[in-house]
């Protein structure tokens, strides 16, 4: 693609990058967006902590020392440089075994690691120091979620006169306002900021620290991962207590929908599924369904097969599902769920699966290959989220001709076209949507899907429309490019 203006140098800072570390959609986005921006000619470099689970052979060489002066203590680490696997995107890893050589990025079954504020404060400060030592200077720093939210705060405060970071433009992207990085006020010194910023105008939030707020208050521009969520988070219902501060920044807040990496999520060439298929030749999907039914030990059946791949948390509407699941399973349907999360929901689902062994199968854990098989082999995909900033799972389902059943919120509302007469007439209907956050509303959406399943002509029409949707990163990455340029220009003028 021809560049119309100078390529940009972007430092992209986040806490997970697939396939090295992924707990959800952020990992997928941090793999695909930088890769697409790079293909547009920009010098995008990604940075994340060097978690202990990252194999030594892919960590690359040390390119700088880094020192994090957190005020109350100084911690020393190393900056390594490698590539995001399978791409030409440079990846910086901030290494400090004391903070990051642990089995998980954020915490274990007992909850978050007790020292997360210090771990991510170190990551932010050490990264800024390390990058300054490499000699490479970005045009803009793009920070993601609370794990990188202290960077805009440091750039605007203690580093305001720093030779590299003074005046550096920043963009802060919110992937999920439900996770804010909140800690006791007494831990404030760990942020490395002076106490004058422990005020309601800055990081203080109901007497505690709120790291997400640092990004929202100090970044030059803000974005989130769908247009609808950008509007929702400015309301008390979806603002998680931050709607007020977000409203004060409304003119700098943008919604850019996530994309799909069709190199990885593509039924036409996916090596993880039993048979490939396309919108024009869907026979392979039948093979994928049989394969999934076998894997679930379901009897061979023509019944509609519902799939779900999800974190099992309240955000994802699992409470609605567990309240209607037994009634749903009284009908001639099959349901496969892959997920992990809250013990309560895991137990409730396991009980339903035990009661209906021929109709429901629950796989607890994280399994990328099985996720692909579920997207490919199911007829319908359940995503009844209470809130959904964007959601990638429904986009993957669409790509595999599996019709999503979603609650009308955030990115789900922006990306799934519900089955209405008008949408069917335009050949645009791709799924089912409901509004009330109740088990009854979910049940009736599921029942609409079951009824439609017998209308094979409409089913085929919707499946085709779903598969023909184009959510590639090309469009969204250009929106990011425009936003980057806007922020950088604002600084120059
Ligand atoms: P979120 O980031 O809120 O979890 P998204 O829909 O944006 O939701 O992204 C979820 C990503 O994580 C998708 O790639 C989905 O396939 C994957 N995923 C979620 N749970 C599992 C699991 N148990 N096993 C494998 N992949 C999973
Ligand atoms: C978050 C959101 C999800 C979004 C993902 C990537 O985890 O919950 O909706 O798709 O981030 O932006």
């Amino acid at each position: 693609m021809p560049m119309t203006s100078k390529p940009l140098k972007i430092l992209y800072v986040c806490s997970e990058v697939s396939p090295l570390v992924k707990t959800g959609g952020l990992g997928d986005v941090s793999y695909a967006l930088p890769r697409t921006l790079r293909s547009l000619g920009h010098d995008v470099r990604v940075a994340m902590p060097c978690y202990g689970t990252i194999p030594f052979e892919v960590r690359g060489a040390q390119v700088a020392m880094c020192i994090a002066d957190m005020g109350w203590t100084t911690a020393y680490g190393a900056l390594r440089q490698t590539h995001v696997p399978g791409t030409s995107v440079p990846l910086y890893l901030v290494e400090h075994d004391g903070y990051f050589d642990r089995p998980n990025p954020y915490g274990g079954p007992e909850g978050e690691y007790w020292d997360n504020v210090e771990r991510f404060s170190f990551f932010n400060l050490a990264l800024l120091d390390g990058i300054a030592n490499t000699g490479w200077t970005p045009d803009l720093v793009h920070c993601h979620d609370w794990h990188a939210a202290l960077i805009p705060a440091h750039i605007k405060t203690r580093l305001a006169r720093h030779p590299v970071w003074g005046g550096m433009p920043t963009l802060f992207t919110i992937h999920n306002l439900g996770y804010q990085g909140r800690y006791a006020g007494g831990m404030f010194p760990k942020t490395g900021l002076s106490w004058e910023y422990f005020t309601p105008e800055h990081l203080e939030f109901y007497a505690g620290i709120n790291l997400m707020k640092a990004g929202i208050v100090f970044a030059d521009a803000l974005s989130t991962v769908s247009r609808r969520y950008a509007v929702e988070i400015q309301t008390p219902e979806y603002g998680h207590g931050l709607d007020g501060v977000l409203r004060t920044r409304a003119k700098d807040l943008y919604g850019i929908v996530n994309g799909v990496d069709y190199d990885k999520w593509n039924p036409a060439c996916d090596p993880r599924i039993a048979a490939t298929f396309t919108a024009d030749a869907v026979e392979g999907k039948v093979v994928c369904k049989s394969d999934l039914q076998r894997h679930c030990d379901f009897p061979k059946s023509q019944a509609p097969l519902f799939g779900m791949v999800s974190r099992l948390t309240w955000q994802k509407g699992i409470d609605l599902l567990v309240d209607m699941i037994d009634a749903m399973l009284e009908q001639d349907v099959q349901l496969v769920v892959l997920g992990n999360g809250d013990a309560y929901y895991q137990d409730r689902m396991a009980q339903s699966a035990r009661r209906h062994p021929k109709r429901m199968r629950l796989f607890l854990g994280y399994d990328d290959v099985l996720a692909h098989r579920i997207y490919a082999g199911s007829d319908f995909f359940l995503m009844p989220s209470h809130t959904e900033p964007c959601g990638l799972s429904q986009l993957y389902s669409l790509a595999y001709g599996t019709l999503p059943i979603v609650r009308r919120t955030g990115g789900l509302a922006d990306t799934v076209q519900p089955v209405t007469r008008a949408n069917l007439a335009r050949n645009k209907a791709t799924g089912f949507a409901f509004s009330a956050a109740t088990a009854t509303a979910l049940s009736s959406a599921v029942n609409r899907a079951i009824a439609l399943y017998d209308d094979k002509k409409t089913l085929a029409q919707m499946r085709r429309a779903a598969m023909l949707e184009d959510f590639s990163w090309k469009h969204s990455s250009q929106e990011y490019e425009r936003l980057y340029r806007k922020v950088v220009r604002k600084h120059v003028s």
Side-chain angles (χ1 to χ4, degrees):
M1 160 140 324
M3 297 281 301
T4 45
S5 26
K6 195 166 123 321
L8 292 164
K9 290 185 288 173
I10 306 294
L11 179 61
Y12 181 110
V13 189
C14 59
S15 59
E16 50 187 88
V17 182
S18 169
L20 292 175
V21 186
K22 168 175 163 182
T23 66
L26 175 62
D28 287 358
V29 171
S30 303
Y31 170 85
L33 172 59
R35 183 171 167 239
T36 313
L37 286 164
R38 197 130 186 127
S39 73
L40 297 178
H42 302 293
D43 183 4
V44 181
R45 305 186 184 194
V46 177
M48 76 168 170
C50 190
Y51 301 108
T53 50
I54 299 175
F56 280 100
E57 54 288 7
V58 303
R59 291 184 180 187
Q62 180 175 328
V63 289
M65 280 291 293
C66 39
I67 303 176
D69 172 8
M70 292 185 264
W72 63 284
T73 187
T74 301
Y76 299 82
L79 188 71
R80 292 183 169 274
Q81 186 173 354
T82 178
H83 283 96
V84 176
T87 76
S88 62
V89 178
L91 172 66
Y92 292 109
L93 296 171
V94 175
E95 193 175 51
H96 183 298
D97 287 348
Y99 290 132
F100 301 123
D101 188 8
R102 303 186 189 180
N104 301 298
Y106 315 122
E110 322 70 46
E112 267 204 76
Y113 295 130
W114 66 276
D115 55 350
N116 270 354
V117 63
E118 187 177 329
R119 296 172 74 225
F120 286 97
S121 173
F122 169 80
F123 166 56
N124 287 204
L125 278 166
L127 177 68
L128 292 176
D129 185 57
I131 295 289
N133 293 336
T134 64
W136 180 77
T137 304
D139 297 317
L140 178 143
V141 186
H142 185 179
C143 303
H144 297 261
D145 273 352
W146 66 264
H147 319 92
L150 283 171
I151 287 181
H154 290 307
I155 286 176
K156 283 279 163 54
T157 59
R158 56 186 276 193
L159 298 177
R161 289 183 211 295
H162 188 278
V164 172
W165 301 117
M168 175 65 61
T170 54
L171 169 64
F172 181 64
T173 295
I174 298 167
H175 291 263
N176 195 334
L177 205 58
Y179 301 93
Q180 300 179 353
R182 289 178 58 181
Y183 303 97
M187 289 192 172
F188 191 74
K190 309 231 179 220
T191 63
L193 292 166
S194 88
W195 276 106
E196 70 188 280
Y197 298 107
F198 190 64
T199 67
E201 291 72 42
H202 303 106
L203 274 70
E204 194 257 343
F205 187 72
Y206 297 102
I209 311 167
N210 188 320
L211 294 183
M212 182 74 101
K213 216 175 151 192
I216 295 173
V217 169
F218 286 105
D220 295 302
L222 310 175
S223 74
T224 187
V225 287
S226 67
R227 278 177 205 274
R228 171 106 169 210
Y229 195 62
V231 176
E232 285 177 347
I233 56 177
Q234 298 180 52
T235 67
E237 192 185 349
Y238 290 97
H240 295 271
L242 291 176
D243 46 295
V245 62
L246 283 162
R247 282 195 298 277
T248 67
R249 301 239 37 207
K251 69 172 194 352
D252 299 316
L253 171 60
Y254 300 82
I256 303 179
V257 71
N258 287 331
V260 174
D261 181 351
Y262 288 113
D263 286 345
K264 186 170 179 215
W265 302 96
N266 186 347
C269 56
D270 189 337
R272 302 166 194 84
I273 61 178
T276 54
F277 56 97
T278 64
D280 292 327
V282 282
E283 304 76 35
K285 190 162 171 68
V286 180
V287 180
C288 291
K289 180 170 175 178
S290 304
D291 168 67
L292 185 57
Q293 285 172 319
R294 254 194 317 276
H295 189 71
C296 296
D297 290 326
F298 289 152
K300 225 178 151 28
S301 156
Q302 298 300 321
L305 175 51
F306 291 77
M308 180 176 224
V309 179
S310 184
R311 292 185 287 114
L312 302 179
T313 60
W314 180 88
Q315 178 205 338
K316 299 291 180 182
I318 309 298
D319 55 329
L320 310 185
L321 186 65
V322 295
D323 280 351
M324 54 72 82
I325 210 165
D326 286 304
M328 173 180 170
L329 294 170
E330 292 301 324
Q331 308 181 66
D332 185 20
V333 300
Q334 295 176 333
L335 169 64
V336 48
V337 178
L338 166 64
N340 53 8
D342 298 355
Y344 172 75
Y345 295 129
Q346 295 191 172
D347 287 351
R348 290 275 310 261
M349 288 215 168
Q351 285 163 18
S352 295
R354 272 197 298 275
R355 281 195 286 270
H356 306 272
K358 295 198 172 123
R359 294 198 171 147
M360 176 175 175
R361 187 71 201 264
L362 172 66
F363 294 97
L364 289 176
Y366 188 89
D367 185 338
D368 189 49
V369 173
L370 181 55
H372 283 252
R373 289 166 75 184
I374 293 177
Y375 291 120
S378 306
D379 296 302
F380 302 106
F381 189 83
L382 294 173
M383 207 156 166
S385 310
H386 285 279
T387 67
E388 198 58 73
C390 176
L392 295 172
S393 297
Q394 86 282 12
L395 301 182
Y396 299 155
S397 303
L398 292 169
Y400 287 79
T402 297
L403 306 181
I405 299 172
V406 301
R407 196 171 92 75
R408 212 173 262 115
T409 184
L412 299 177
D414 284 359
T415 58
V416 176
Q417 305 297 327
V419 53
T420 58
R421 212 168 282 158
N423 280 341
L424 280 173
R426 295 188 307 134
N427 220 348
K428 281 285 169 209
T430 56
F432 303 82
F434 64 98
S435 292
T438 62
T440 314
L442 170 58
S443 279
S444 66
V446 165
N447 290 340
R448 286 203 297 280
I450 295 172
L452 187 125
Y453 182 73
D454 290 330
D455 175 356
K456 297 295 179 216
K457 191 163 160 255
T458 309
L459 185 71
Q461 178 192 338
M462 288 178 67
R463 200 169 260 172
R464 185 177 163 75
M467 293 182 77
L468 291 177
E469 287 276 19
D470 179 5
F471 287 101
S472 59
W473 270 105
K474 192 166 160 264
H475 181 72
S476 296
S477 62
Q478 285 167 354
E479 284 193 56
Y480 274 108
E481 175 182 344
R482 278 195 290 277
L483 181 53
Y484 290 156
R485 290 202 189 279
K486 197 168 182 171
V487 179
V488 170
R489 251 195 331 266
K490 208 161 90 183
H491 270 255
V492 177
S493 56

